[in-house]
Amino acid sequence: MQESMSNVYNAKMPEIVVQKYGGTSVGSIDRIKEIAKKIISSRETGKLIIVVVSAMGNTTNKLLDITKQISNNPSKREIDALLTTGEQQSIALLTMAIQEYGHSAISLTGFQAGINTVGDNCNSRIFEINYDKIYELLQQYKIVVVAGFQGINDLGDLTTLGRGGSDTTAVALAAKFSCPCEIYTDVNGVYTIDPNIFPSARKHEVISYDEMIEMAKLGAKVLDKRAAALAKKFDVPIYIAKSDGTEVGTFIRRRDLVEENSIVGIALRQDLISIKLSNITADEVLNVIDGFEGMGVELISVHTVLEDDEKISVFLTSTKEYTSIIEKVEDKLKKRLKGLKIKSNSNLTQLSVVGDGLKNQAEVFTKIFKTLRDNDINYKTITSTDTNITFYIKEQENYKAINSLVREFNL
Amino acid sequence: MQESMSNVYNAKMPEIVVQKYGGTSVGSIDRIKEIAKKIISSRETGKLIIVVVSAMGNTTNKLLDITKQISNNPSKREIDALLTTGEQQSIALLTMAIQEYGHSAISLTGFQAGINTVGDNCNSRIFEINYDKIYELLQQYKIVVVAGFQGINDLGDLTTLGRGGSDTTAVALAAKFSCPCEIYTDVNGVYTIDPNIFPSARKHEVISYDEMIEMAKLGAKVLDKRAAALAKKFDVPIYIAKSDGTEVGTFIRRRDLVEENSIVGIALRQDLISIKLSNITADEVLNVIDGFEGMGVELISVHTVLEDDEKISVFLTSTKEYTSIIEKVEDKLKKRLKGLKIKSNSNLTQLSVVGDGLKNQAEVFTKIFKTLRDNDINYKTITSTDTNITFYIKEQENYKAINSLVREFNL
């Protein structure tokens, strides 16, 4: 959203809260009914509620699969026209469920909610929210159920915000209405390591926006990185928890309100592919990168290394889902660039140790090296910044690596 | 649409045609691909094409079934928010398929196509079409794929047009652009009797709007009655055929351009229930009718008969799908109105002989009576107007009745 975006604030109105429910929370009609009851119990505390929902379960992936029967490269505008039906169905069904339990509610698609976007289809950004309609409905004490992940651009085309887009919708609405944002998901908060991967990970009671952004950037899935950055920008208090509400989750706050963790945790990005392309001239480098990006391959990192006066090597990482496209691009590039050498590695994990304590890098760096070596773990490359130390390991060594680091750093 | 609706006409533009494809035509991805090719071959004749599509197969009914898991009486606004996703999915997929075959195309939902409606949700009417967007896209030689059955009202709510609504969308667009409308469906035109029920029925090459309206009103499903009436009002030439295009279909034209058939055919409405409620006071009649309509029971006909100075009988007909609601309403009414007597009959068929030739009723009336009697067919009640003679028979006598009338009237 734009820096200039103005907030809505009316001191006479009751407290407002945005609640976001992800795909698994609305994965079945029974789950939708449970969520409806939960929303009503929040409403009954006197708060005004804006609900943001994703499409039911894996609807979005199912719809994408259908398009593959028609085209390998369907128009992004039409993909968005198709995908936006997913959230539209969930908002209608959730609204019906809330109404069935006797509360006043209304569904709004992205365009009805005034969510205006800019940028390409399938990867648009929220530019502004025309909040009049939501504001008016809240004043009528209605529970307002908004479709996440979607909006409308100035051509009147339906758009989507890319992966994690519903988080962004929720945080943007909370920013607009100067209110807190509760994100309900399938884990109970922010952990030192994704508990789906490492069940004995420790849960944070509170972390800072910066820590969350860093974790999200490096692969933590609990909150989208764009949503986390937006929350920081507009100072939106976030609370992340499981939708069943049995356990306290994690609060995300401004840095000055949080006792920072020296190490926040370990972020993982699994199922990676690394591609090393060598014997390339400087003129050819952009062609090589465009060759992948032009075919829609999402590149997680791009590094170039000067081999000698003339030749350059390019190191790319992407994810398993692009395997077949990557192979096609590699074949094309080999035909076009004589002398090109390609080496790919699949089943890699990117493992990042994240935290403000890494400003004192030398010591931690040494400790990590030593831990990996002592545990016979092979790492491929390693990078480091003020806030993270990142390396690649073979997938089969994930557990051993995490376990040794958890012991060493007391995570 | 309003009488005041102005037409778009630009002599410089190539010929425009609206093509409508029903649910079975877009029932699978393979069918969608076939339709895409057919549309492209029309475009390649030089015409500009507006396509109107329904939801895929029985998507609409499936979505309605899901709502029943949530509520017996869901909000009509939310039903429409849910149902409109059906056509939105078909337009996106069909557009992708057309693009995949190398043609320029774009999808428009009801609101994007400027289809403004008035009236209740689930049963709205097209009030006006803001044609600017479609017009602009046609000028770019794009195939414009519009979602049938849906629009938007002045509250910004998504709306649907009720059963047969996609036909209405197609005819309304053809009226707006002063162009012909081709309706592609699962039968090859308008027959003297629905060929799905009576395969040896005769196909009309051409019939008048009035004949089509009368057939549709009395149950012929090939074209929606509101669409037929709209076509008459704006003089839209209609062509109805199978989407495979192997056989010539039926043209529907102005009365003065058509040699009218003395008898157009037999229209059937099957799976009816008749309800006779007797021993009711005049004050109670409206309560009784409201009892059914208020619970959403669609009443096909309502007749009242004065039994004596004080008591009235009400004869209602509805369809099988409302059986369980009808039984509930009957139970409620019995408790509330002492002395009320109810007699219901299910599995009835309403059989109408339709045609302008019926203006000379006496002769045809006598002939029908005689035919039914000679063939031992029991009819329950009989009504007649200038253009139809209608009676109710038991479902098991359908074939015998149709067959005897076909022989007698040479249908």
Side-chain angles (χ1 to χ4, degrees):
Chain A
M1 274 192 312
Q2 299 303 290
E3 200 74 60
S4 64
M5 197 184 78
S6 61
N7 295 342
V8 185
Y9 186 71
N10 183 337
K12 286 179 202 155
M13 275 175 94
E15 202 180 324
I16 302 173
V17 64
V18 174
Q19 296 189 334
K20 183 254 171 176
Y21 295 91
T24 50
S25 314
V26 290
S28 68
I29 297 300
D30 284 340
R31 296 298 305 273
I32 286 177
K33 289 180 184 174
E34 283 169 32
I35 298 304
K37 286 181 200 161
K38 186 178 161 56
I39 292 164
I40 288 171
S41 70
S42 293
R43 176 70 194 91
E44 284 175 345
T45 66
K47 287 179 194 165
L48 300 178
I49 319 272
I50 302 170
V51 179
V52 173
V53 273
S54 303
M56 285 178 76
N58 63 346
T59 304
T60 302
N61 287 331
K62 275 189 202 158
L63 290 172
L64 282 174
D65 284 346
I66 294 173
T67 68
K68 287 176 190 153
Q69 295 175 48
I70 296 177
S71 173
N72 286 323
N73 192 23
S75 134
K76 288 195 160 59
R77 181 189 184 277
E78 300 306 328
I79 290 178
D80 280 353
L82 182 69
L83 293 188
T84 48
T85 62
E87 290 77 29
Q88 193 176 321
Q89 293 181 347
S90 353
I91 56 169
L93 294 170
L94 179 58
T95 303
M96 285 177 198
I98 296 171
Q99 291 169 339
E100 184 67 10
Y101 294 126
H103 264 264
S104 183
I106 187 166
S107 75
L108 298 178
T109 63
F111 88 85
Q112 289 176 322
I115 296 176
N116 297 323
T117 67
V118 287
D120 293 342
N121 274 97
C122 294
N123 197 27
S124 292
R125 299 185 314 283
I126 297 177
F127 173 72
E128 179 54 296
I129 298 176
N130 294 331
Y131 59 82
D132 302 6
K133 184 146 195 171
I134 295 180
Y135 189 75
E136 186 192 324
L137 294 167
L138 287 176
Q139 284 184 313
Q140 297 163 18
Y141 298 98
K142 283 188 171 135
I143 295 170
V144 182
V145 182
V146 178
F149 179 64
Q150 58 178 251
I152 191 163
N153 66 20
D154 60 0
L155 296 172
D157 294 340
L158 302 171
T159 56
T160 66
L161 306 176
R163 273 168 210 277
S166 291
D167 288 347
T168 307
T169 304
V171 173
L173 284 167
K176 195 77 198 175
F177 287 91
S178 307
C179 74
C181 181
E182 299 170 0
I183 307 268
Y184 293 103
T185 178
D186 58 348
V187 292
N188 224 323
V190 184
Y191 286 75
T192 52
I193 307 158
D194 182 349
N196 293 319
I197 295 168
F198 194 78
S200 61
R202 224 166 16 86
K203 185 174 64 191
H204 292 288
E205 280 177 34
V206 55
I207 65 169
S208 70
Y209 293 126
D210 291 315
E211 289 169 336
M212 184 66 241
I213 292 167
E214 195 69 13
M215 288 289 276
K217 268 188 192 163
L218 293 163
K221 291 186 187 112
V222 63
L223 182 68
D224 177 66
K225 65 182 179 214
R226 291 190 300 172
L230 198 63
K232 181 187 175 188
K233 187 168 169 182
F234 292 98
D235 201 8
V236 174
I238 306 270
Y239 174 68
I240 300 187
K242 252 190 186 166
S243 54
D244 63 10
T246 49
E247 208 182 294
V248 176
T250 301
F251 292 90
I252 309 179
R253 294 279 185 268
R254 257 173 30 217
R255 190 185 277 244
D256 57 324
L257 302 177
V258 174
E259 196 179 318
E260 300 249 343
N261 304 278
S262 69
I263 290 181
V264 188
I266 295 174
L268 297 171
R269 198 174 259 145
Q270 294 179 286
D271 297 324
L272 297 185
I273 293 180
S274 76
I275 311 149
K276 182 185 174 187
L277 305 112
S278 45
N279 206 25
I280 302 172
T281 67
D283 293 344
E284 292 164 349
V285 169
L286 269 182
N287 275 331
V288 167
I289 296 169
D290 283 353
F292 289 95
E293 288 192 329
M295 289 293 288
V297 176
E298 190 190 344
L299 296 176
I300 289 169
S301 70
V302 177
H303 294 289
T304 53
V305 174
L306 198 65
E307 285 173 8
D308 56 37
D309 283 355
E310 288 187 353
K311 297 294 185 180
I312 289 174
S313 288
V314 179
F315 294 88
L316 306 174
T317 42
S318 184
T319 60
K320 201 170 65 175
E321 64 187 293
Y322 298 105
T323 306
S324 63
I325 313 180
I326 287 172
E327 284 166 0
K328 275 183 208 157
V329 176
E330 289 179 347
D331 288 345
K332 269 194 196 168
L333 288 175
K334 274 183 203 161
K335 278 179 201 154
R336 229 171 51 199
L337 305 178
K338 297 295 168 197
L340 173 68
K341 285 178 198 157
I342 300 181
K343 193 170 174 235
S344 302
N345 267 295
S346 53
N347 299 325
L348 289 181
T349 295
Q350 172 191 296
L351 194 157
S352 307
V353 178
V354 180
D356 231 34
L358 300 178
K359 278 170 188 161
N360 177 13
Q361 270 190 53
E363 190 195 327
V364 184
F365 212 85
T366 315
K367 212 165 161 187
I368 289 175
F369 268 109
K370 190 173 174 305
T371 308
L372 296 178
R373 193 189 57 206
D374 289 354
N375 289 278
D376 295 324
I377 293 152
N378 295 305
Y379 54 88
K380 282 198 65 73
T381 49
I382 199 155
T383 60
S384 67
T385 70
D386 266 11
T387 47
N388 78 78
I389 296 175
T390 294
F391 45 93
Y392 294 94
I393 57 174
K394 278 277 175 197
E395 200 169 284
Q396 57 267 33
E397 301 199 314
N398 280 0
Y399 185 81
K400 198 164 65 166
I402 295 169
N403 211 25
S404 62
L405 291 166
V406 164
R407 270 188 279 112
E408 192 59 39
F409 291 97
N410 193 27
L411 300 170
Chain B
M1 272 193 310
Q2 299 302 290
E3 200 74 61
S4 65
M5 197 184 77
S6 61
N7 294 344
V8 185
Y9 188 70
N10 183 337
K12 285 178 202 156
M13 276 175 94
E15 201 180 325
I16 302 173
V17 65
V18 174
Q19 296 188 335
K20 183 254 171 177
Y21 294 92
T24 50
S25 313
V26 290
S28 69
I29 298 299
D30 285 340
R31 296 298 304 274
I32 285 177
K33 290 180 183 175
E34 283 169 32
I35 298 305
K37 287 180 198 161
K38 185 178 161 58
I39 292 165
I40 288 170
S41 69
S42 293
R43 175 71 194 89
E44 285 175 344
T45 66
K47 288 179 193 165
L48 300 178
I49 318 273
I50 302 169
V51 180
V52 173
V53 273
S54 303
M56 285 178 75
N58 62 346
T59 305
T60 303
N61 287 332
K62 274 188 203 160
L63 290 172
L64 282 173
D65 284 347
I66 294 174
T67 68
K68 287 176 191 155
Q69 295 175 48
I70 297 177
S71 173
N72 286 323
N73 192 22
S75 134
K76 287 194 161 58
R77 182 190 183 277
E78 300 307 328
I79 290 178
D80 280 353
L82 183 69
L83 293 188
T84 47
T85 62
E87 291 77 29
Q88 193 175 321
Q89 294 182 347
S90 358
I91 54 170
L93 295 170
L94 179 58
T95 303
M96 285 177 197
I98 296 171
Q99 291 170 340
E100 184 68 10
Y101 294 126
H103 266 264
S104 183
I106 186 164
S107 75
L108 298 177
T109 63
F111 89 85
Q112 290 175 321
I115 296 176
N116 297 325
T117 67
V118 289
D120 294 342
N121 274 96
C122 295
N123 197 27
S124 292
R125 300 184 314 283
I126 297 177
F127 174 72
E128 178 55 294
I129 298 176
N130 294 331
Y131 58 83
D132 301 7
K133 184 146 196 172
I134 296 180
Y135 189 75
E136 186 192 324
L137 294 167
L138 288 176
Q139 283 183 313
Q140 297 164 18
Y141 298 98
K142 283 190 171 131
I143 295 170
V144 182
V145 182
V146 178
F149 179 63
Q150 58 178 252
I152 191 161
N153 66 20
D154 59 1
L155 296 172
D157 295 339
L158 302 171
T159 56
T160 65
L161 306 177
R163 274 168 210 276
S166 290
D167 288 347
T168 307
T169 304
V171 173
L173 284 167
K176 195 76 198 176
F177 287 90
S178 307
C179 73
C181 181
E182 300 170 0
I183 307 268
Y184 294 102
T185 178
D186 58 348
V187 291
N188 224 323
V190 184
Y191 286 74
T192 51
I193 307 158
D194 182 348
N196 293 320
I197 296 169
F198 194 80
S200 61
R202 223 167 15 88
K203 185 174 65 193
H204 293 287
E205 281 178 33
V206 54
I207 66 170
S208 70
Y209 294 126
D210 292 315
E211 288 169 336
M212 185 67 240
I213 292 167
E214 194 69 14
M215 288 288 277
K217 269 188 191 163
L218 293 163
K221 291 187 186 111
V222 62
L223 182 69
D224 177 67
K225 65 182 179 216
R226 291 191 299 172
L230 197 63
K232 180 187 175 190
K233 187 169 168 181
F234 292 97
D235 201 8
V236 174
I238 306 269
Y239 174 68
I240 300 186
K242 251 190 187 169
S243 55
D244 63 11
T246 50
E247 207 182 295
V248 176
T250 301
F251 292 91
I252 310 179
R253 293 277 184 268
R254 259 177 26 221
R255 190 185 277 246
D256 57 325
L257 302 177
V258 174
E259 195 180 317
E260 300 249 345
N261 305 276
S262 68
I263 290 180
V264 187
I266 295 174
L268 297 171
R269 197 174 261 145
Q270 293 179 288
D271 298 326
L272 297 185
I273 293 180
S274 75
I275 311 149
K276 182 184 174 186
L277 304 112
S278 44
N279 205 25
I280 303 172
T281 67
D283 294 342
E284 292 163 349
V285 169
L286 270 182
N287 276 332
V288 167
I289 296 170
D290 284 352
F292 289 94
E293 288 191 330
M295 289 292 289
V297 176
E298 190 191 345
L299 296 176
I300 290 168
S301 69
V302 178
H303 295 288
T304 53
V305 175
L306 199 66
E307 285 174 5
D308 55 37
D309 283 355
E310 288 185 355
K311 296 294 185 178
I312 289 174
S313 289
V314 179
F315 295 87
L316 306 174
T317 42
S318 184
T319 61
K320 200 170 66 174
E321 64 187 292
Y322 298 104
T323 307
S324 64
I325 313 181
I326 287 171
E327 284 165 1
K328 275 183 208 158
V329 177
E330 289 179 348
D331 288 345
K332 270 194 195 168
L333 287 175
K334 273 182 204 163
K335 278 179 201 154
R336 229 170 51 200
L337 306 178
K338 298 294 167 195
L340 173 68
K341 285 177 199 158
I342 301 181
K343 194 173 174 233
S344 301
N345 267 295
S346 54
N347 298 325
L348 289 181
T349 294
Q350 172 192 296
L351 195 157
S352 308
V353 179
V354 181
D356 232 34
L358 300 178
K359 278 169 187 161
N360 177 12
Q361 270 189 52
E363 189 195 330
V364 184
F365 212 84
T366 315
K367 213 165 161 187
I368 288 175
F369 267 111
K370 190 172 173 303
T371 307
L372 296 178
R373 193 190 58 207
D374 290 354
N375 288 277
D376 295 323
I377 294 153
N378 295 305
Y379 54 88
K380 282 198 64 72
T381 49
I382 198 155
T383 60
S384 66
T385 69
D386 266 10
T387 47
N388 78 77
I389 296 175
T390 294
F391 45 93
Y392 294 94
I393 57 174
K394 278 277 175 198
E395 199 169 286
Q396 57 267 33
E397 301 199 313
N398 280 359
Y399 185 80
K400 197 164 68 166
I402 295 169
N403 212 24
S404 62
L405 291 166
V406 164
R407 270 188 278 110
E408 192 60 40
F409 291 97
N410 193 26
L411 300 170

